[in-house]
Amino acid sequence: MTPAELSEALRAVLTAAVDDGTLPVPADALPATVTVERPRSREHGDWATNVAMQLAKKAGMAPRALAETLAARLGEVPGVAAVEVAGPGFLNITLDTAAAGGLARAVVEAGERFGRTTGLAGQRINLEFVSANPTGPLHIGGVRWAAVGDALARVLEASGADVTREYYFNDHGAQIDRFARSLLARARGLEAPEDGYGGQYIADIATQVIADATAAGEPDPTTLPDDEAQEAFRARGVDLMFAEIKQKLHDFRVDFDVYFHEDHLHETGAVERAVARLRELGHIFEADGATWLRTTEFGDDKDRVIIKSDGDAAYIAGDLAYYLDKRERGFDRAIIMLGADHHGYIGRMMAMCAAFGDTPHVHLEILIGQMVNLLRDGEPLRMSKRAGTIVTLDDLVDAVGVDAARYSLARSSADQTIDLDLDLLSRSTNENPVFYVQYAHARTANVARNAADLGVRREDGFDPALLDHPSESTLLAKIGEFPRVVAQAAELREPHRVARHLEELAGAYHKWYDQRRVTPFGDEEVSDTHRTRLWLNDATRQVLANGLGLLGVTAPERM
């Protein structure tokens, strides 16, 4: 019996109790899905639910009394061995061995679908992440968002959401001008401007801009007047830098559905339309020659200038237009992932959301990520050979590979600063978390190969009652929790929960492997015991593969 099947059985018990008047609540008061979770102690059964406590007030009953009533009914469900009422009204449920073991076959037969749910079905979500300025290689902070953001997108999709991955292309503003001046200065053999960009990549791009112009039969852009030269280096230099960022992200297994250009907002009149909409809603006022948005009405610490007195749009004007554009494209939720230096930005963004008549933290969500420190030989890695001032995506991937990089960045809560030990992540030891999980998957594949060589075939027999060892009960429990973990990771926007669960699953599998044999030993004949254990082995393999897939990490067959 899977957790989903147990949840359905509980729902049926509740419905029957409503129908016969035992549970005096209207049918629409019942939860659409009854949540079941693993109790902290195995002595308390296989699964637990607090549904009696949730419904007691509506029913006008004491929670424990309602739990006793439901326990008697649930105890009659096939596959349920025992139901106990604990504490103020928890139901602790123990499945019989066959029902518990049946999960192994259900997982194998579900395959890649196991762990996928429909909790977010019907939601269109715009997930904006990375969005680094195209003025240099992707730095380690952006790399973290690439790993976490893509994993979050996969988890949301596994929960039924329709997700659009979006990159906000910052090609408008002062930083692009500084980038262009830096390229031009390097091409002319001059020092970079004081507020410009350094590093070998600036020289490489400047050289490529000149080479491209020559190949196209155009004049050397360094010989043009300053304004024309700067524009030539800006236009081509930004294209080259962004093309490199896109390729590096693709190699990191991160691709976007939409690359939205900031310039588009200003060129199409989107900013003016957003201001007009807010003016219609009564939230715009004029003062000191500027146009203001009255954000203090929605919890901001001060009102915001959106059109400055010189007629130029303030930075927040682009945010207004971009948010409205997303909503007009039909997205129910806009999730934006920002770095730690944007924490003070949340108040004004939520006020903006409310000004448009939307609900902050519902229609607009902002996730803040903390810093990443790379360590080598116990010392911080501070500088890239190519970028000169920052640690980049290439630095991390060159050191540990894509799998270890993605897994290590996604396995911790994004709101925590993390230290990544490059030496540890390069080792093939159990202390390296990605190796530990990948090795468990490779071990399940090796067990399956050995079983095939010795004539152990799943199709020849399955008796779930034979999975009666404590290590099998523990392993089945970890397998059964996977859908709930994925759903919770999606709901809380915390894909690291998947990684941590995989590590627990890998640990349970390694312990089971040490105590139970899938293949016959010596002259032992192949039996249903071996075949049934192979089902469990392969179920573990499937969940590990599914979980690693949600993190964008490969599931190797051999290591």
Side-chain angles (χ1 to χ4, degrees):
M1 180 181 290
T2 67
E5 290 170 340
L6 178 58
S7 176
E8 291 175 4
L10 277 161
R11 185 68 162 67
V13 164
L14 293 173
T15 300
V18 168
D19 291 343
D20 66 15
T22 305
L23 178 56
V25 300
D28 59 8
L30 299 180
T33 301
V34 180
T35 301
V36 294
E37 297 183 345
R38 295 293 299 181
R40 293 183 179 179
S41 172
R42 288 307 316 281
E43 296 177 356
H44 296 158
D46 296 311
W47 300 99
T49 180
N50 65 348
V51 69
M53 298 164 65
Q54 293 176 347
L55 294 173
K57 185 174 182 180
K58 295 178 182 178
M61 300 175 64
R64 191 173 176 89
L66 177 55
E68 294 283 0
T69 299
L70 296 178
R73 290 174 174 267
L74 187 58
E76 299 174 359
V77 172
V80 174
V83 183
E84 294 182 354
V85 177
F90 288 100
L91 290 169
N92 290 336
I93 305 162
T94 301
L95 303 179
D96 64 39
T97 304
L103 175 63
R105 184 167 194 152
V107 171
V108 174
E109 292 176 344
E112 293 181 358
R113 300 189 311 277
F114 186 74
R116 305 186 75 86
T117 64
T118 59
L120 299 181
Q123 289 193 24
R124 291 195 63 208
I125 297 176
N126 182 287
L127 179 60
E128 178 195 338
F129 61 105
V130 184
S131 298
N133 293 334
T135 55
L138 195 62
H139 63 79
I140 192 63
V143 179
R144 184 178 194 182
W145 273 142
V148 174
D150 188 60
L152 177 57
R154 293 167 186 247
V155 166
L156 291 170
E157 288 171 335
S159 295
D162 178 3
V163 180
T164 293
R165 296 163 174 81
E166 187 149 317
Y167 191 117
Y168 186 54
F169 184 39
N170 295 281
D171 54 353
H172 182 89
Q175 76 277 6
I176 298 297
D177 293 335
R178 292 197 298 271
F179 178 62
R181 291 198 302 272
S182 301
L183 291 174
L184 178 57
R186 181 60 67 92
R188 288 176 169 171
L190 304 174
E191 291 293 324
E194 186 175 342
D195 60 349
Y197 298 92
Q200 181 60 38
Y201 78 96
I202 291 292
D204 294 341
I205 293 175
T207 300
Q208 188 62 50
V209 170
I210 296 172
D212 288 350
T214 301
E218 299 172 356
D220 182 338
T222 61
T223 64
L224 300 173
D226 287 352
D227 288 349
E228 294 181 30
Q230 183 173 319
E231 175 57 25
F233 277 95
R234 186 204 66 78
R236 183 60 183 148
V238 167
D239 285 347
L240 288 169
M241 190 72 257
F242 193 54
E244 177 180 318
I245 291 172
K246 287 167 66 174
Q247 183 60 51
K248 296 296 184 183
L249 286 170
H250 175 75
D251 295 342
F252 198 56
R253 304 179 197 135
V254 177
D255 293 292
F256 290 85
D257 303 300
V258 174
Y259 292 94
F260 192 99
H261 290 253
E262 183 181 5
D263 258 350
H264 177 79
L265 297 172
H266 299 272
E267 294 170 355
T268 62
V271 170
E272 289 79 5
R273 289 195 300 274
V275 173
R277 173 72 65 83
L278 292 167
R279 194 182 298 276
E280 291 174 4
L281 293 170
H283 305 314
I284 296 292
F285 67 96
E286 311 291 333
D288 303 323
T291 301
W292 298 67
L293 176 62
R294 193 174 282 106
T295 53
T296 51
E297 288 188 3
F298 306 101
D300 197 7
D301 58 347
K302 62 182 180 180
D303 294 327
R304 303 289 171 175
V305 173
I306 51 178
I307 303 296
K308 294 181 285 188
S309 58
D310 61 5
D312 289 340
Y315 190 81
I316 193 174
D319 293 329
L320 298 173
Y322 189 32
Y323 175 74
L324 182 60
D325 179 86
K326 288 180 180 179
R327 294 287 280 140
E328 289 179 338
R329 279 187 275 154
F331 293 107
D332 304 303
R333 294 174 181 265
I335 302 176
I336 306 175
M337 307 176 76
L338 299 173
D341 56 339
H342 288 78
H343 195 278
Y345 205 55
I346 297 176
R348 75 189 70 171
M349 291 292 284
M350 292 305 165
M352 171 198 75
C353 172
F356 278 116
D358 288 342
T359 304
H361 308 292
V362 175
H363 295 103
L364 175 64
E365 301 177 45
I366 296 178
L367 307 181
I368 298 293
Q370 295 299 323
M371 299 295 292
V372 180
N373 301 311
L374 298 187
L375 307 178
R376 172 169 279 154
D377 299 325
E379 297 295 327
L381 187 65
R382 299 186 182 279
M383 190 174 295
S384 166
K385 292 181 180 178
R386 181 164 179 256
T389 57
I390 57 173
V391 179
T392 68
L393 170 59
D394 282 347
D395 296 320
L396 179 58
V397 172
D398 288 347
V400 301
V402 173
D403 279 343
R406 285 195 60 133
Y407 187 95
S408 59
L409 289 168
R411 75 181 290 265
S412 296
S413 176
D415 62 3
Q416 296 178 350
T417 299
I418 55 174
D419 295 328
L420 298 187
D421 187 331
L422 299 182
D423 298 314
L424 173 64
L425 293 174
S426 301
R427 295 179 199 147
S428 298
T429 65
N430 289 343
E431 288 73 28
N432 177 354
V434 66
F435 174 84
Y436 187 65
V437 174
Q438 287 185 314
Y439 180 66
H441 183 271
R443 176 173 267 184
T444 64
N446 186 59
V447 167
R449 286 192 297 269
N450 291 339
D453 291 342
L454 294 173
V456 181
R457 291 166 38 89
R458 287 198 318 255
E459 298 79 5
D460 293 339
F462 177 67
D463 182 357
L466 296 172
L467 298 175
D468 57 0
H469 190 269
S471 66
E472 288 163 337
S473 177
T474 299
L475 182 54
L476 284 164
K478 292 301 177 186
I479 290 172
E481 283 185 280
F482 182 66
R484 178 189 62 80
V485 170
V486 175
Q488 192 173 57
E491 179 184 355
L492 299 176
R493 318 307 194 220
E494 295 180 344
H496 71 275
R497 291 174 178 270
V498 174
R500 297 305 174 123
H501 182 70
L502 293 181
E503 291 166 30
E504 294 177 5
L505 175 60
Y509 176 78
H510 290 312
K511 290 179 180 178
W512 174 76
Y513 176 89
D514 290 339
Q515 298 179 61
R516 303 281 92 179
R517 289 188 60 86
V518 171
T519 54
F521 182 73
D523 296 331
E524 185 180 10
E525 293 290 328
V526 174
S527 68
D528 279 351
T529 297
H530 302 110
R531 300 183 187 102
T532 302
R533 289 175 184 168
L534 180 58
W535 281 96
L536 180 55
N537 176 83
D538 291 356
T540 307
R541 178 183 180 184
Q542 187 66 64
V543 175
L544 288 168
N546 291 357
L548 287 168
L550 291 176
L551 300 173
V553 177
T554 63
E557 300 285 317
R558 301 174 188 272
M559 290 184 72

